[in-house]
């Protein structure tokens, strides 16, 4: 029996075929692909074949638990398809000497595009205006919506995605500020040493920081109050970063003008507290998904895996 690559996330037929072909022809250690993209298949695959799994492909949301790692004694390589890896038991994997990689950089442009689309949709009220137009309601009966150009944009997390959001903002004549754990050298943007201070300065706040325990509810009621009743919040990072209950209260009470979210606490269920609100735009965690981005992520995974099994340097180690 050949060892296995266990795939825990949904892949398109084309992507799955590319992965399968790569491990048949390119890898120095041929692996059979074990496709388990839902919880039932995942449990069954680990129960039946865990002893023979040498590689796992997952993502930050789906993750990989310490218990699952323990049930795969031959496991030596774990990859997150995208940039996020917050639900992978990293310390446990490292203690086992397991190689860890992610898809950093493969979908940055896609996420940055989506972040700006969400910002425009929220500020210009595109969803509600579309519904009004379809209902035959003309502009004179509708409230004015703010301009986006010439405002101030705060970015929480000036990593690859945050920097690309900033460059898109420059095209709109928007002034950019940011908060990061440390100032980024060589950046032309204003640095703020706290998220509330950045929110106080900003008209719009885009959240692009990693998820995990360190950033849980970083965007809380105090940050939303600092952003203020004319402010707009966009989250394309992880749902855990924003306090959903505080956001619902701020939107209902008018202490925040609007929000747009691609990620949620409790995914894949959308947040019930927000569904009735007209001043929030919701998309189902698709910010990093496009044909181009998925193809790039799969290519990056294959290249990392081939390099690992050949004993070569990795492209995007965690």
């Amino acid at each position: 029996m050949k060892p296995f690559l266990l795939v825990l996330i949904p892949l398109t037929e084309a992507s799955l075929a590319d992965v399968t072909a790569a491990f048949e022809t390119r890898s120095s250690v041929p692996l059979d692909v074990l496709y388990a993209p839902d919880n039932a298949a995942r449990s069954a695959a680990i129960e039946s074949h865990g002893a023979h799994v040498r590689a796992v492909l997952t993502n930050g949301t789906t993750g990989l638990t310490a218990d699952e790692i323990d049930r795969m004694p031959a496991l030596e390589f774990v990859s997150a398809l995208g940039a996020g890896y917050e639900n992978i038991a990293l310390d446990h994997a490292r203690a086992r000497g397991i190689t860890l990689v992610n898809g950093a950089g493969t979908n940055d442009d896609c996420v940055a595009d989506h972040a700006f689309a969400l910002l425009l949709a929220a500020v210009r009220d595109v969803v509600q205006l579309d519904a009004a137009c379809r209902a035959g309601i003309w502009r004179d009966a509708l409230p004015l919506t703010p301009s986006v150009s010439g405002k101030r944009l705060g970015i929480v997390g000036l990593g690859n995605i945050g920097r690309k959001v900033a460059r898109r903002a420059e095209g709109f004549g928007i002034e950019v500020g940011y908060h990061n754990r440390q100032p980024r050298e060589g950046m032309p943007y204003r640095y703020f040493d706290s998220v509330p201070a950045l929110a106080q300065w900003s008209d719009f706040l885009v959240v692009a920081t990693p998820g995990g325990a360190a950033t849980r509810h970083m965007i809380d009621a105090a940050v939303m109050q600092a952003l203020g009743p004319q402010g707009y919040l966009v989250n394309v990072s992880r749902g855990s970063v924003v306090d959903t209950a505080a956001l619902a209260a701020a939107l209902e009470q008018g202490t925040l003008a609007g929000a747009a979210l691609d990620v949620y606490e409790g995914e894949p269920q959308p947040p019930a507290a927000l569904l009735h609100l007209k001043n929030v735009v919701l998309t189902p965690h698709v910010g990093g998904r496009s044909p181009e981005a998925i193809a790039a992520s799969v290519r990056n995974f294959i290249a990392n895996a081939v390099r690992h099994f050949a004993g070569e340097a990795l492209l995007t180690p965690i």
Side-chain angles (χ1 to χ4, degrees):
M1 177 187 292
K2 281 196 298 187
F4 290 103
L5 160 66
L6 177 59
V7 178
L8 298 178
I9 54 175
L11 294 177
T12 65
E13 289 186 10
S15 294
L16 190 59
D18 288 344
V19 170
T20 301
F23 282 95
E24 289 177 346
T25 61
R26 290 180 56 191
S27 176
S28 58
V29 178
L31 303 177
D32 282 335
V33 175
L34 190 58
Y35 187 51
D38 58 56
N39 288 335
R42 173 178 182 155
S43 297
I46 295 173
E47 178 68 26
S48 300
H49 303 291
H52 303 287
V53 172
R54 292 186 64 178
V56 169
L57 175 60
T58 184
N59 60 28
T61 302
T62 299
L64 187 69
T65 69
D67 177 66
E68 289 171 331
I69 291 170
D70 286 342
R71 294 168 66 192
M72 294 183 280
L75 183 62
E76 61 181 88
F77 178 83
V78 175
S79 174
L81 189 66
Y85 47 82
E86 68 278 4
N87 288 319
I88 298 174
L90 298 180
D91 291 342
H92 198 74
R94 289 190 176 110
R96 274 263 308 269
I98 293 169
T99 297
L100 299 162
V101 301
N102 69 347
T106 57
N107 64 1
D108 294 349
D109 281 312
C110 190
V111 177
D113 289 348
H114 197 74
F116 226 84
L118 288 175
L119 177 62
L120 291 167
V123 177
R124 296 295 296 166
D125 205 19
V126 171
V127 176
Q128 297 302 321
L129 292 176
D130 175 87
C133 193
R134 292 172 189 270
I137 301 171
W138 198 239
R139 64 187 186 187
D140 295 338
L142 298 167
L144 294 173
T145 58
S147 296
V148 173
S149 298
K151 299 294 178 63
R152 290 176 168 179
L153 172 66
I155 300 173
V156 181
L158 201 71
N160 292 337
I161 292 169
R163 288 195 293 271
K164 290 190 174 188
V165 171
R167 288 200 289 273
R168 284 155 176 76
E170 291 173 359
F172 284 76
I174 292 173
E175 186 178 357
V176 175
Y178 74 99
H179 170 76
N180 224 51
R181 283 176 295 181
Q182 300 291 334
R184 292 280 191 182
E185 290 187 11
M187 289 293 106
Y189 315 120
R190 181 174 174 180
Y191 175 73
F192 291 81
D193 61 7
S194 74
V195 177
L198 175 64
Q200 182 73 46
W201 174 85
S202 301
D203 297 300
F204 317 132
L205 194 68
V206 171
V207 185
T209 191
T215 58
R216 184 179 184 275
H217 288 187
M218 174 182 281
I219 310 302
D220 57 12
V223 171
M224 297 173 205
Q225 184 175 14
L227 189 54
Q230 306 302 317
Y232 291 81
L233 173 69
V234 173
N235 186 16
V236 292
S237 60
R238 286 294 184 265
S240 60
V241 180
V242 172
D243 184 334
T244 305
L247 176 60
L251 293 171
E252 285 179 334
Q253 297 164 13
T255 54
L256 189 67
L261 311 174
D262 185 50
V263 289
Y264 314 100
E265 296 183 282
E267 292 182 12
Q269 297 300 318
L274 300 178
L275 294 181
H276 67 288
L277 298 172
K278 294 184 177 181
N279 55 345
V280 61
V281 177
L282 306 173
T283 57
H285 202 155
V286 295
R289 292 176 60 84
S290 70
E292 299 87 350
I294 291 172
S297 297
V298 169
R299 287 194 302 270
N300 182 77
F301 160 69
I302 291 170
N304 271 319
V306 168
R307 284 168 174 261
H308 166 76
F309 286 109
E312 299 173 357
L314 302 169
L315 297 177
T316 50
I318 297 174

